[in-house]
Amino acid sequence: EENHSVILIKYEDLSSDCYSVLKKCFDFLNLSTRENIINRCIENCNFDKMSGGRSRGEMKINSHVRKGVCGDWVNYFSQDDAYLFNRIAGKHLLAYDYEKSSCWPLEYNFKYQ
């Protein structure tokens, strides 16, 4: 088994504190972390620019850039979907702190039944 140096980047963290996440990434890659460089990255890759001017939460069906809303997946899952996903990937959700217990499908109010 090989060991690789990796960095875990969560969309939720980028959304709440993009500057700190990018700084951490740049440090990990041994790149310059000058404030102006990180700010330019944030400015040029924000949701408005990447989506062609849409606001966060505004959906465009065939767009490569989705809605830009953390946790929006719950609006597309049914309880059955959640149980299946938990069976397939549940241990990873726990390992990477996406969920706190294996009973997470019971904790959400799913749109689809």
Side-chain angles (χ1 to χ4, degrees):
E1 181 177 314
E2 293 182 43
N3 290 321
H4 299 281
S5 293
V6 297
I7 184 171
L8 179 64
I9 302 168
K10 295 181 181 180
Y11 180 74
E12 296 83 357
D13 296 336
L14 273 171
S15 185
S16 67
D17 188 2
C18 192
Y19 186 93
S20 294
V21 173
L22 286 181
K23 182 169 182 355
K24 183 178 172 183
C25 291
F26 281 36
D27 287 342
F28 178 80
L29 296 169
N30 295 317
L31 298 172
S32 172
T33 56
R34 292 194 321 250
E35 186 174 339
N36 67 324
I37 293 172
I38 295 173
N39 285 332
R40 284 187 63 203
C41 289
I42 292 169
E43 188 179 304
N44 287 304
C45 296
N46 68 32
F47 183 81
D48 286 349
K49 285 192 179 189
M50 291 182 68
S51 68
R54 281 187 290 132
S55 299
R56 270 186 201 274
E58 186 180 339
M59 183 168 49
K60 184 176 179 184
I61 296 294
N62 293 321
S63 177
H64 174 71
V65 178
R66 299 195 55 199
K67 288 170 46 177
V69 176
C70 295
D72 191 48
W73 64 270
V74 77
N75 294 315
Y76 300 91
F77 266 42
S78 69
Q79 191 91 45
D80 289 341
D81 295 331
Y83 285 124
L84 177 61
F85 191 69
N86 192 34
R87 197 171 77 228
I88 294 168
K91 67 181 180 182
H92 301 294
L93 296 174
L94 296 172
Y96 296 112
D97 288 327
Y98 277 101
E99 297 299 342
K100 300 298 179 206
S101 88
S102 59
C103 298
W104 67 266
L106 299 172
E107 299 168 6
Y108 290 92
N109 192 12
F110 296 101
K111 182 176 179 181
Y112 295 102
Q113 299 307 322

